[in-house]
Amino acid sequence: MGLHRVLEPAGVLPQAARRLDASPVIGPDEVRIRVERLNLDAASFRQLWEKHGGDGERVRAEVLEIVAARGKMQNPVTGSGGMLIGTVEEVGRRSPLGLRPGDRVATLVSLTLTPLAIVDGLAGWDGRSEQVPCDGYAVLFARSIAAVLPADLHPELSLAVLDVCGAPALTARVVGRYVADRAREGDARPVSVAVVGGAGKSGSLSLTAARRAGATRTVGVVPVAAERDALEAAGLADVVALADARDPVSLAAAVTSALGAPADVTVVCVDVPGCEHGAVLATADGGTVVFFSMATSFAAAALGAEGLAADVTMLVGNGYVPGHAELALELLRAEPGVRRLFEARLAAD
Amino acid sequence: MGLHRVLEPAGVLPQAARRLDASPVIGPDEVRIRVERLNLDAASFRQLWEKHGGDGERVRAEVLEIVAARGKMQNPVTGSGGMLIGTVEEVGRRSPLGLRPGDRVATLVSLTLTPLAIVDGLAGWDGRSEQVPCDGYAVLFARSIAAVLPADLHPELSLAVLDVCGAPALTARVVGRYVADRAREGDARPVSVAVVGGAGKSGSLSLTAARRAGATRTVGVVPVAAERDALEAAGLADVVALADARDPVSLAAAVTSALGAPADVTVVCVDVPGCEHGAVLATADGGTVVFFSMATSFAAAALGAEGLAADVTMLVGNGYVPGHAELALELLRAEPGVRRLFEARLAAD
């Protein structure tokens, strides 16, 4: 778990640490990666971008400062990090991860707990995108997860998919549970799913995963017409609806009107604060909300559902579900609409 | 939902509002309560208490200031509120709540969304306890929930139970699901439950609810010897373990050693920050963590589970589950150990 890398405070896990030891000298169960690219968490990048009024130089300077001070990339405001790709440089003799020197990998654990040192001053990055070219070192622990990048996909594309691969996997599990329960109970009602932020990375994968898990009615909610057109063209949802997810009443109205009723499962994939109440209102009694946005407020979700007397199950989106990387890459390969959305997003970055 | 009571910002639900209209003039679907007592959320009271270094006068002054400024009692740091008891004074002709003037009630929706005006300057409160004698007015909306106080229990006791009644109800539901799934699958393994903060209000009720829902092995985790002795005397858990919930490694070790393995269901009922990682580590693969503490950090939970590659389901503790008030009062009546813990706590306040 990397406890020996925690410098302060003592006794916490690396993710909760203020500062990690990012020494490149690895222990027997560790792996050192030569980093080539960081992928900042969307909520983190957005916070930095807004704080510095879109000044890329200052965004870059703050990322360097954070990593130097903390020994890891963890945004002090959002608490979130991101992930990285690189090449395995050295493998401790007791590492259980099955990696070999020369493997090109993406880390599937957050940067918030990954010891990291940057050696090039991020000279190749203009501070204007979540994708950060970077030379440096990172360390994986025994209980980390890394995926060897597939040969048939561009590494940036794989990274973008792997970055959000927990969302489709958990969506598939939750939707599959409703489908199985209804089948067992002889309940013929269709299982309906709303994905808030359906045109984004985690959103488009989640829509696809929901459909494959047996959802018979799906709606993708997007904030602007351009995303609506893109998601409609991709053909991933039965209905695409326009709504501001921060406006509870209009989000609930959009979902309810698209599905004919509130959703059985609502998946929140937008990285802006204030979507909790709308998601709860958009969900049927007995339904489930899955929060994947790092901008989610625990208190807003808990008190919002209580205040609305809403009998909904609310899940903290766990980025780890067994088999998540393989599932997400398979969805991308099998569904041209998902691939087009990802490629368009990468081209625009 | 009380949208018409939101003064700013426009369009949000009352819980998210900075300021509510606390006018005592009610609309046709509203109910006005004459308040007699507020019960501050534990996390909120603790924050105020620590901020003011235990100076009750300053705690009282800040509560008055918050309510005057916001038209509701919502701690700006923790985001949490609490609940109240009082007597129904006026019922709008279209209110669906079934209340009548003169009913003595507890509100089961949070103070964070309840319009409130204090008229006595909290003269009867010394600022040193969560229980706040208070004269004033509060307003319930059509979709609020209020329970008429039972005649056989002291109102303070009922209030303390109703304040946390979501926890045992959700615990019972989650544990019952594991029990039913295992029975259906012919899986003879016992269902094990860990309750962190097992001697507290929500903790003792959750332990009792877990056992009645079919948990066959339970552990209550407490931070100090006095709570251990009290919980052991109450007989609500198979094992009582001492551990600091903020220390992930020791919490996991305590639970695993008490149960012989990590827990199927871990319920977090302590109102201190930093318990997310320990709860995840204490839970078996395929298990569920239910977070009831308002001090829970969404990001710490999400990233912690991912960072530990832990296949656990994490629930945001929803304070509303149908039938929650009746269940909690029934547990208190049926289980002398629970009642003793509650009465001792009230006596100490």
Side-chain angles (χ1 to χ4, degrees):
Chain A
M1 297 182 289
L3 289 171
H4 56 287
R5 291 272 182 177
V6 173
L7 294 178
E8 54 173 319
V12 302
L13 299 183
Q15 196 253 316
R18 274 192 301 279
R19 199 154 64 88
L20 295 179
D21 172 3
S23 156
V25 180
I26 60 170
D29 63 353
E30 294 182 331
V31 170
R32 189 178 62 254
I33 308 281
R34 183 70 178 251
V35 178
E36 71 183 68
R37 182 177 295 273
L38 308 176
N39 196 19
L40 300 184
D41 169 75
S44 170
F45 179 73
R46 173 189 292 254
Q47 187 274 331
L48 292 168
W49 181 255
E50 287 173 357
K51 173 179 173 187
H52 295 297
D55 180 335
E57 274 311 300
R58 288 167 59 195
V59 172
R60 183 173 68 177
E62 182 163 356
V63 170
L64 282 168
E65 213 175 281
I66 291 170
V67 174
R70 307 196 66 173
K72 60 177 178 173
M73 179 54 211
Q74 180 170 27
N75 181 314
V77 174
T78 64
S80 59
M83 55 187 302
L84 61 84
I85 58 176
T87 302
V88 174
E89 210 169 46
E90 190 184 349
V91 177
R93 68 182 191 285
R94 291 212 308 266
S95 167
L97 299 181
L99 297 174
R100 285 177 308 189
D103 281 348
R104 197 148 176 237
V105 297
T107 61
L108 301 186
V109 290
S110 171
L111 289 180
T112 60
L113 54 92
T114 304
L116 173 69
I118 294 172
V119 299
D120 70 345
L122 300 179
W125 183 47
D126 60 8
R128 302 173 70 86
S129 124
E130 296 164 21
Q131 303 255 354
V132 183
C134 169
D135 190 10
Y137 300 91
V139 175
L140 299 181
F141 311 130
R143 210 171 159 168
S144 297
I145 315 170
V148 176
L149 291 169
D152 64 324
L153 298 173
H154 192 284
E156 282 193 24
L157 183 58
S158 294
L159 185 60
V161 171
L162 293 171
D163 181 34
V164 296
C165 66
L170 186 53
T171 299
R173 179 186 279 186
V174 171
V175 171
R177 179 105 209 195
Y178 277 86
V179 171
D181 282 357
R182 293 217 173 140
R184 200 176 51 244
E185 291 157 10
D187 180 341
R189 285 178 300 157
V191 173
S192 64
V193 176
V195 176
V196 184
K201 293 192 296 181
S202 55
S204 59
L205 283 167
S206 295
L207 275 170
T208 307
R211 206 177 246 182
R212 292 190 172 219
T216 38
R217 185 93 186 143
T218 59
V219 57
V221 181
V222 296
V224 294
E227 289 198 12
R228 179 192 60 200
D229 298 346
L231 185 55
E232 276 178 350
L236 304 180
D238 296 325
V239 184
V240 179
L242 262 180
D244 180 344
R246 294 164 302 183
D247 179 339
V249 176
S250 76
L251 176 58
V255 168
T256 303
S257 120
L259 299 174
D264 292 311
V265 178
T266 300
V267 184
V268 179
C269 293
V270 289
D271 64 343
V272 292
C275 304
E276 300 87 357
H277 293 175
V280 167
L281 269 184
T283 306
D285 265 12
T288 296
V289 181
V290 191
F291 289 107
F292 278 109
S293 164
M294 281 299 153
T296 303
S297 154
F298 183 89
L303 296 174
E306 183 187 294
L308 292 162
D311 180 19
V312 296
T313 298
M314 296 182 287
L315 298 188
V316 177
N318 178 352
Y320 176 68
V321 176
H324 59 345
E326 298 72 16
L327 173 68
L329 291 167
E330 183 194 313
L331 293 172
L332 180 92
R333 290 190 186 101
E335 185 55 71
V338 171
R339 186 159 184 160
R340 281 200 304 274
L341 285 175
F342 269 77
E343 288 176 340
R345 188 169 282 263
L346 287 174
D349 269 353
Chain B
M1 296 182 291
L3 290 171
H4 57 287
R5 291 272 182 175
V6 173
L7 293 177
E8 53 174 320
V12 303
L13 298 183
Q15 197 255 315
R18 273 193 301 280
R19 200 155 62 91
L20 295 180
D21 173 2
S23 157
V25 179
I26 60 170
D29 62 354
E30 294 182 332
V31 170
R32 188 177 64 254
I33 309 280
R34 183 71 180 252
V35 178
E36 70 182 68
R37 183 177 294 273
L38 308 176
N39 196 19
L40 300 184
D41 169 76
S44 170
F45 178 73
R46 174 189 291 256
Q47 187 273 330
L48 292 168
W49 182 254
E50 288 174 356
K51 173 179 172 187
H52 295 298
D55 181 336
E57 275 309 300
R58 288 165 60 196
V59 172
R60 184 173 67 176
E62 182 163 356
V63 170
L64 282 168
E65 211 176 282
I66 290 170
V67 174
R70 307 196 67 173
K72 59 177 178 174
M73 178 55 210
Q74 180 170 28
N75 181 313
V77 174
T78 63
S80 58
M83 56 187 302
L84 61 84
I85 58 176
T87 303
V88 174
E89 211 168 45
E90 188 185 350
V91 177
R93 67 180 191 285
R94 291 213 307 268
S95 168
L97 299 182
L99 298 174
R100 284 176 308 185
D103 281 347
R104 196 147 177 237
V105 297
T107 61
L108 302 186
V109 291
S110 172
L111 289 179
T112 60
L113 54 91
T114 303
L116 173 69
I118 294 172
V119 299
D120 68 346
L122 300 178
W125 183 46
D126 60 7
R128 303 172 70 86
S129 127
E130 297 165 18
Q131 303 255 353
V132 183
C134 168
D135 190 11
Y137 300 91
V139 176
L140 299 181
F141 311 131
R143 208 170 160 169
S144 298
I145 315 170
V148 177
L149 291 170
D152 63 325
L153 299 172
H154 191 284
E156 281 193 26
L157 183 58
S158 295
L159 185 60
V161 171
L162 294 170
D163 181 34
V164 296
C165 66
L170 186 53
T171 299
R173 180 186 278 185
V174 170
V175 171
R177 178 106 209 193
Y178 278 86
V179 171
D181 283 357
R182 294 218 173 138
R184 200 176 51 244
E185 291 157 10
D187 181 341
R189 284 178 300 157
V191 173
S192 64
V193 176
V195 176
V196 184
K201 293 192 296 180
S202 55
S204 59
L205 283 167
S206 296
L207 275 169
T208 307
R211 205 176 248 181
R212 294 194 169 215
T216 37
R217 184 95 185 140
T218 59
V219 58
V221 182
V222 296
V224 293
E227 290 199 10
R228 180 192 59 200
D229 298 345
L231 185 54
E232 276 178 350
L236 304 179
D238 297 324
V239 185
V240 179
L242 261 181
D244 180 345
R246 294 163 302 183
D247 178 338
V249 176
S250 76
L251 177 59
V255 168
T256 303
S257 121
L259 299 174
D264 292 311
V265 178
T266 300
V267 184
V268 180
C269 293
V270 289
D271 63 344
V272 292
C275 303
E276 300 86 357
H277 293 176
V280 167
L281 269 183
T283 307
D285 265 11
T288 296
V289 182
V290 191
F291 290 107
F292 278 108
S293 164
M294 281 299 153
T296 304
S297 154
F298 183 90
L303 296 173
E306 183 187 294
L308 292 163
D311 181 19
V312 296
T313 299
M314 295 181 288
L315 298 188
V316 177
N318 178 352
Y320 177 69
V321 174
H324 59 346
E326 297 73 16
L327 173 68
L329 291 168
E330 184 193 312
L331 293 172
L332 179 91
R333 290 190 186 102
E335 185 56 71
V338 172
R339 186 158 183 162
R340 280 199 305 273
L341 286 175
F342 269 77
E343 288 176 340
R345 189 169 282 263
L346 287 175
D349 269 355

